[in-house]
Amino acid sequence: MAKKSPTTAGTKTRVKLSTRDKKTMAALTGLADGVVKAASAKRDPFVDIPSRTLSNVKYSPRKKIIEMGNNKNRRQLFDLSQAKAYMRTMLVASGCKRLLEQGKTTSLRGLYYMLKHTIEGAKENTFDEQGECDTIIEDTEVLLSSIREELHLYAENRGAMVGNITLIDRGDTIDCSRMGSGGYAIPSIVEPEIVELDRKKCKADFILHVEKGTVWQRFNEDRFWEQHNCILTHGAGQPPRGVRRMLNRMHNELKLPIYCVLDNDPWGYYIYSVIKQGSINLAFESQRMAIPEAKYLGLRSVDYTRCDLDDSVKIALNETDKKRAKQIAKYPWFEKKRPWQSEIKKMLSNDFKLEVESLISKDISYVTETYVPERLAAKDWLD
Amino acid sequence: MAKKKKRVKKKSANSSAAAPRKKKKKKKVAVDASPTPRKKKRKKKVRRVAESQSEAPSNGAQANGAPAKRKRRATAQTMAASQRDISVSEFFAKNRHLLGFDNPRKALLTTIKEAVDNSLDACEEAGILPEIWVHIEQTGGDRYKVGIQDNGPGILKKQIPLIFGKLLYGSKFHRLRQSRGQQGIGISAAGMYGVQTTGKPIKIISKVSVRKPAHYYELQIDTKRNQPKIMNGKGDGVDIPPGEKGSKYIEKHGIEWVEEKSGTRVTIELQAKYTRGRGSVDEYLEQTAIANPHVTLHYLDPDGGTRDYPSSTDKLPPEPKEILPHPYGVELGRLASMLEEAKGMTVSQFLTGSFSRVTPSVSRKICEKAKISTRANSTRLGRQDADALYHAIQDTKISNPSTDCICPIGEELILKGLHQVVPGEFYAAATRPPSVYRGNPFQIEVGLAYGGAAPAQNVSKDLLNELLDETDARTCRQFLVNTFNGMGTEAADKILKASKLGTRQSPSKLTPKQRAALLDSMKNVNISEGQSMNVLRLANRVPLQFQHGACAITQSVIGNNWRSYGLTQSRGSLPKGPVSIMVHIASVWVPFTSESKEAVASYPEIQKELRLGLQAVGRKLGMYLRRRLKVRQQTDRREVFLRYLKEVSTAVSEINGAKRDDLYEQLVKVAKKRTADADMVMDDRGRKLDQEMDLGDNVLIVDPAESEHHINRVAAVEGDEEE
C-alpha cells in the first residue's frame, strides 16, 4: 500500500460521486476517523463487525426471510490473533475508497491483487490467497452496511437466463428471447443503475429456475420457455448474488412467480432455502435477495416410484448427506412445514438421492415435455 | 586324582629344603606316565608324598599317607602352611581397581585427585589459602610424570616416608571431621601404582618454613611389609638447605619446585593415558575450582598448555570441627570394642564421654532400658550387656548431633564458582540446613547454571583435532557423547547428520575435510534442545566423576520432575537443555559405595535433602524461564503489532487524509503501552526484573548482551588455553 499511495494521491482524477457512493464514502471515512480518534486518545482501535454465523441469524416468520441478529465480533488491532485481520480490513476499506474515487469497479480477484503486497520490513504478504481477501470484503460489507456493489466490487459472472423479456444492461437493449444457445449471462451486479427492467417489455408468465447449466441447456434446446411462455434461469449450483438479486427483482418488479427445479438431495434443498429465505452468510442482504414465495417443483423423493425410474439412477446417500439433511430439517423455516418434513424423511428412508438428469433415462426430453408441465398443471409443488 | 596330589606336594615342597629336586623328578614321572602301569606309579607317588611330609614340621603325616584317605585334596596342615598375613599394600596392589586404578586413564586422574585432595586438606587445616600447581609431563609412550605442589604447612621429616610410602596411614580415619580424604590410602596407593608400573620412585620434597631445610625423599614401597623404602641419602633422605645453596641443589638435581615459604611437592611417574573430555583431569580440576572458590590452581598439561583458575574469594572456609560419634551411628561391634578400650570408667561416664549428645540423663535412660547399672564398670561388661546397650541406644530418643561441624561452600560462593567456570545466563544456589543420616551429620548444597552454549560449540579446530587423535572411542557418535559434557545421543546424531558423517565411522580415520565438516556442524547445529543436563557431583568439595548411575545424586536428579520447572525431560532420564547442576554433599563421613569414592550411597535422609535442594533451585529456574518466556512472547507480540501499524496508518490516511506519520507514531505509542512487559526488560533488565520476579536470594542473572564470553565459552576457555 505504501508504495502505491503517492500515485493515487497524485492523479486527482476525481469522478463525481453518486448519492449512493457518497453514502458509502461517508461510511468509509467514519471507519478511518474512528482509528485516528482512538489513536490520539491512546486507546486500542477496534471495529465491531456483525457476526455472520448461524447463531447470529434469526428467521422472521412474519417476513419469511432470514435476518441478521445483533451479535457483533470485536476486532482489535492490539490483539495477537486479530491484528492481521484488522490491518486487512483497513486495507480493503482503503482499496474500496480508491475504487469509489475513480469511479471504477473491479472483481474480487482484482481487489485482491490491488491490495496484495509484501509488508514493509517483514517477509509477510498482506494476503496470500484470494479467499482471505474475500472474507474480509464480506466483513467490510456488513461493517459498513454497504453491499458489495456499493463498494464497487463484483464477482465473476455466473448463471444465465433466457425468455420472453427485454431488458436494458448499461444502456444496451437485450432481448432475452434471442440469445441463441448460450443465453444472457446474468451479471454480478444487477442493480437498477445497471440493469433496467420494464414491465411492459416482459411477456413471460413465470420464472423457471433450474440448478445447473446442463439442465438449463436441455430446457433451452427444447424451447421450453417459448412453449410455456416463461423465463428460464440457472445459477450454476448455488446461485451467486447476481442471479439471486435478478430473480428477486423480476419477482418483485414484474410480479412473476418462481418455480425451482433442483436435484433431490440436501444440496438442492439448501439452494431452494437460499433462494427463498436468504443465506446465513449473507443474511444482511436477505431483504434484497430472498423470495419467500418461490416454489419447489422437483425433484421429489416420490419421483422414483411416481416416474417409474430405473434402479440404476439412484445415488446412495453418504454420511455427510444424511447429516446435512437432518440439519436442514431442523432449520426454523423448514421445521414447521409438514410437507417438507415428510419430503426429507422420505429421502432419508429412500437412502438415495436423485439428480434432475436422471429423468433423461426415461426419455431425453421427458423433463421438459412431461415432468415439469405435469407438475405445473397439477400445481404439485412444495412451498 | 594324580594331578591333585601333585599340587599338594608342590605346596608342601615350598616349605621343605629338598623340594626342588623331588618336584622335578615327580613331574617327569607324571608326564611320561603311560596308562597301563598306573597303579604302581600311584603307589610310588603316595610314598613320596609321605616322605616329603615327614620332613615338614607337622605330625600326623603318616595318617595322611594311609591308603584310605587317598582322596583328600589337601589337609588342614598343608593348607595352614600357606596361610599367612596379607599386607594391605599387597591386597591393594592386586585390587587396584578398588582404589580407582582400573585403567591408565583413570590412574592418572586418581593420582592427581588424591594428591590435590591431600594438599587442600593440609592447607585448610593449617589455615593457609591453598595454591596448587599441577604438572603433567609425558616421559614415554604411555608414561607420564605427575607433579603436584601445594603451599601447605609441609610435613615433618620423619612422617614423609610413612605418609607417602605406607598404605592406610593417616590422620583422617580415626576422627569424625569433614575432610576430603577419609581413609589414608589414596596418595600412597598412587605412589605404589607408579612404582609398580614404571619402577621409578616417588619423589617428595617438603618444606616446613623458610629458614628450615627442605626434605627431599625418593621412596619405593615394600608391598610385602607395607613399609616405605627410602632410596636416596643412604636411606635417610636428603636435606636441602634453605636459601641460595638449596636452590642450586634443586636446580642441579632437576627437582621441580616452585619457590614457596612452605609446602610439599610429590612427583610420581606412572603408566597412564592422558585424554580430555568427560572423566578427565581437566574436568576434575575445573570442578574442583567450582567447589573450592578459595583455591588457586595452576595447571600445566602434557601438551604444554597452561591454565590458571584464580580464586574468587580470599576467605578460607571455616575450620570444620571434629565431633564425637553419635550413638545412632555406632554398630554393635564398634560399641563393644569401644567399651573394651574405655578403661575403668562407669557406663555412664563412658556413654557421655565418648559420644556426642549423650547427657547424663540420656545415659541414665539408656542404662535403664538396657537394665545395666549406670555405675557398672565398662570394661567388665560382656557381649550380652553390649548387645543390650546397643538396642537400648536405638530405642532411646537422642537429639541429633550438632551440625556446626560441617562447612558448606555457601550459596554465595557456589554462585561465584559456577559463574567463573560454567557459562550461562542464570545461576541459582541453595544450601539446605544440615541433617543427619545414621548419626552422621551432613549437608546438601545445590547450584544450577542455565544457558550458555554447549561445550561442543566452543571447540577450536586445533582442539578438535587433538581430541580426535586422543580419543579411544570407536565411532564418531561415541566420541561426541563421551568427550563433550551434556551431549546426548540425540544431539550427536544431529551433528553427524549435518556433517554427513556415518555414525559408525571411526573418529581417528577422518580426513581433514571430514574434520572440517564435523567442526562446522558442531558449531552450527543447535544442540541446546538435544543437550542433557550436566550433573556435577561433589562430596566434601571433591568432584565425583565416575559411576554416575550408581550415585544417589544422579538418581535424585533423574527422580525430580523438571518438567514443572520448564525443562523437558523424558521419564527415567536426565532433563534436557543447556543446564548444569552442581550438587555438593558435605559430611563428616560421606557414605561412598566403594573405596574409590565415586558414588554416594542412597540413604533415605540424604535422598530427602537432595530432593528438597534440587526443588529449591528448580523453582527459581522455573520462575526465571517462565518470566523469560513471557518477555519473549511480549516482544514477539510487539513485533507483530509494529509490523502491521504502518499498513494500518497508511490505509487510514488514504481514506480520510489523516497525517500518516503522526498516526503511526501514536499507534506505536499505544502498542508500546500494550506490550509494556517487553519494554521493561529491554530497557532496564536487572533492576526491574528483580522487582517483578521475586526469586529471593542467591540468584545470579547475567545479561547476555553484556557478557558474551560467559555464555559463549569460546573466548574465555580458548583464551586461557592460548596463554
Side-chain angles (χ1 to χ4, degrees), chain A residues 158-338:
Chain A
R158 232 167 69 191
M161 102 185 203
V162 71
N164 280 326
I165 184 173
T166 305
L167 47 82
I168 297 164
D169 185 349
R170 283 215 191 241
D172 297 337
T173 308
I174 296 181
D175 184 352
C176 289
S177 59
R178 293 160 172 272
M179 299 310 293
S181 61
Y184 166 60
I186 302 172
S188 81
I189 300 178
V190 292
E191 293 310 303
E193 296 97 278
I194 292 159
V195 176
E196 289 173 39
L197 295 175
D198 192 346
R199 267 190 93 167
K200 287 169 199 154
K201 288 180 182 167
C202 172
K203 304 211 173 64
D205 296 330
F206 65 94
I207 304 166
L208 188 75
H209 179 79
V210 300
E211 185 171 336
K212 286 166 283 194
T214 48
V215 180
W216 183 87
Q217 268 328 334
R218 175 87 266 114
F219 280 89
N220 191 18
E221 206 176 291
D222 291 346
R223 307 294 275 184
F224 179 87
W225 54 271
E226 217 170 46
Q227 287 163 29
H228 295 268
N229 192 25
C230 71
I231 295 168
L232 194 63
T233 59
H234 81 87
Q238 181 68 260
R241 284 200 232 182
V243 172
R244 284 172 58 199
R245 178 69 179 143
M246 191 66 151
L247 290 175
N248 176 284
R249 282 190 66 200
M250 289 194 293
H251 172 76
N252 289 328
E253 294 172 28
L254 309 177
K255 307 285 175 219
L256 299 177
I258 291 179
Y259 305 98
C260 303
V261 178
L262 306 163
D263 290 347
N264 183 252
D265 59 13
W267 184 243
Y269 297 159
Y270 189 67
I271 291 175
Y272 172 68
S273 157
V274 167
I275 291 171
K276 195 175 166 75
Q277 279 96 12
S279 72
I280 295 164
N281 203 21
L282 298 176
F284 60 100
E285 294 209 278
S286 298
Q287 193 74 48
R288 300 169 56 248
M289 303 215 178
I291 307 154
E293 286 80 33
K295 307 280 188 270
Y296 184 85
L297 207 62
L299 266 50
R300 302 278 298 275
S301 313
V302 290
D303 285 343
Y304 176 70
T305 42
R306 190 162 63 179
C307 303
D308 194 21
L309 292 174
D310 195 77
D311 221 20
S312 59
V313 302
K314 291 189 208 169
I315 301 170
L317 290 175
N318 60 28
E319 282 309 305
T320 14
D321 288 334
K322 286 178 196 167
K323 224 172 97 187
R324 190 88 185 93
K326 279 171 195 160
Q327 257 175 17
I328 287 169
K330 286 218 177 84
Y331 282 156
W333 46 95
F334 281 132
E335 209 176 9
K336 297 215 173 91
K337 288 178 180 166
R338 283 245 179 100

Side-chain angles (χ1 to χ4, degrees), chain B residues 431-436 442-446 556 583 603-616:
Chain B
T431 298
R432 294 284 312 155
S435 181
V436 176
F442 73 96
Q443 193 163 10
I444 297 288
E445 292 178 284
V446 183
S556 294
V583 182
Y603 282 93
E605 294 88 350
I606 295 180
Q607 283 173 323
K608 183 186 162 201
E609 284 300 315
L610 282 170
R611 199 185 67 236
L612 292 173
L614 290 170
Q615 283 170 349

Side-chain angles (χ1 to χ4, degrees), chain B residues 94 114 159 192 208 239 246 251 280 297 317 339 392 443 467 553 597 609 632 672 694 709:
Chain B
K94 269 196 175 172
E114 294 295 348
Q159 292 295 335
M192 188 173 75
V208 183
D239 279 357
E251 217 169 287
S280 65
L297 272 173
L339 277 168
Q443 193 163 10
L467 289 170
I553 294 174
K597 301 200 273 189
E609 284 300 315
R632 192 172 291 165
K672 286 202 172 149
D694 188 22
H709 68 277

Side-chain angles (χ1 to χ4, degrees), chain B residues 7-307:
Chain B
R7 208 183 66 186
V8 168
K9 227 196 105 184
K10 239 197 254 176
K11 274 189 180 164
S12 58
N14 274 341
S15 53
S16 69
R21 186 179 52 88
K22 280 193 177 170
K23 205 164 120 193
K24 248 186 185 172
K25 212 175 177 181
K26 188 211 75 187
K27 233 182 190 171
K28 237 182 212 164
V29 171
V31 171
D32 296 343
S34 54
T36 33
R38 214 183 200 176
K39 234 179 184 176
K40 240 186 185 175
K41 262 168 195 167
R42 200 179 269 171
K43 253 186 193 169
K44 250 188 201 169
K45 253 186 272 164
V46 169
R47 204 182 305 137
R48 249 179 234 129
V49 170
E51 269 170 28
S52 71
Q53 252 153 16
S54 66
E55 281 164 21
S58 64
N59 45 18
Q62 217 63 38
N64 268 344
K69 293 194 176 175
R70 233 174 245 170
K71 282 192 174 175
R72 286 279 297 266
R73 294 177 177 182
T75 64
Q77 283 73 20
T78 54
M79 282 161 85
S82 58
Q83 285 162 351
R84 59 192 177 87
D85 259 346
I86 304 162
S87 118
V88 210
S89 38
E90 267 182 324
F91 173 76
F92 281 118
K94 269 196 175 172
N95 293 303
R96 51 165 85 133
H97 56 273
L98 292 180
L99 301 174
F101 293 92
D102 344 13
N103 56 52
R105 198 164 75 97
K106 222 167 143 189
L108 182 69
L109 173 67
T110 309
T111 304
I112 289 173
K113 193 171 162 168
E114 294 295 348
V116 171
D117 288 353
N118 285 351
S119 294
L120 291 177
D121 275 343
C123 289
E124 277 166 28
E125 210 173 327
I128 300 168
L129 259 184
E131 188 166 1
I132 307 235
W133 289 263
V134 177
H135 181 196
I136 307 175
E137 190 185 329
Q138 193 166 12
T139 53
D142 59 348
R143 281 189 182 189
Y144 286 84
K145 197 167 86 181
V146 174
I148 294 103
Q149 186 184 333
D150 62 50
N151 62 342
I155 305 169
L156 286 185
K157 184 172 178 183
K158 64 168 185 172
Q159 292 295 335
I160 294 176
L162 291 171
I163 287 173
F164 291 95
K166 189 174 165 74
L167 261 67
L168 289 176
Y169 184 91
S171 55
K172 298 167 193 168
F173 186 77
H174 293 284
R175 64 182 186 192
L176 276 176
R177 180 182 147 155
Q178 185 188 335
S179 63
R180 293 174 180 78
Q182 285 182 347
Q183 284 107 334
I185 302 180
I187 190 63
S188 36
M192 188 173 75
Y193 174 83
V195 172
Q196 279 188 336
T197 51
T198 64
K200 295 276 169 70
I202 318 160
K203 294 174 188 167
I204 301 110
I205 181 162
S206 186
K207 199 169 163 182
V208 183
S209 86
V210 196
R211 265 161 280 128
K212 292 211 171 127
H215 313 298
Y216 176 60
Y217 276 103
E218 290 182 5
L219 296 178
Q220 289 213 332
I221 297 168
D222 181 353
T223 38
K224 279 242 175 69
R225 293 189 301 133
N226 185 21
Q227 286 295 334
K229 229 168 29 187
I230 300 157
M231 309 301 289
N232 63 341
K234 292 170 196 157
D236 270 335
V238 174
D239 279 357
I240 304 170
E244 276 294 307
K245 236 167 123 190
S247 30
K248 261 185 202 162
Y249 183 89
I250 286 170
E251 217 169 287
K252 208 170 129 194
H253 284 72
I255 307 163
E256 288 172 27
W257 171 254
V258 182
E259 199 48 55
E260 275 288 321
K261 275 189 287 194
S262 65
T264 308
R265 182 180 190 102
V266 56
T267 308
I268 298 170
E269 196 165 340
L270 70 162
Q271 197 179 47
K273 185 163 194 253
Y274 174 79
T275 50
R276 271 178 254 242
R278 203 178 271 183
S280 65
V281 177
D282 300 39
E283 188 192 58
Y284 162 75
L285 292 175
E286 187 179 297
Q287 293 186 7
T288 304
I290 298 175
N292 302 278
H294 58 287
V295 174
T296 306
L297 272 173
H298 307 279
Y299 171 42
L300 181 63
D301 69 28
D303 302 326
T306 62
R307 202 170 312 170

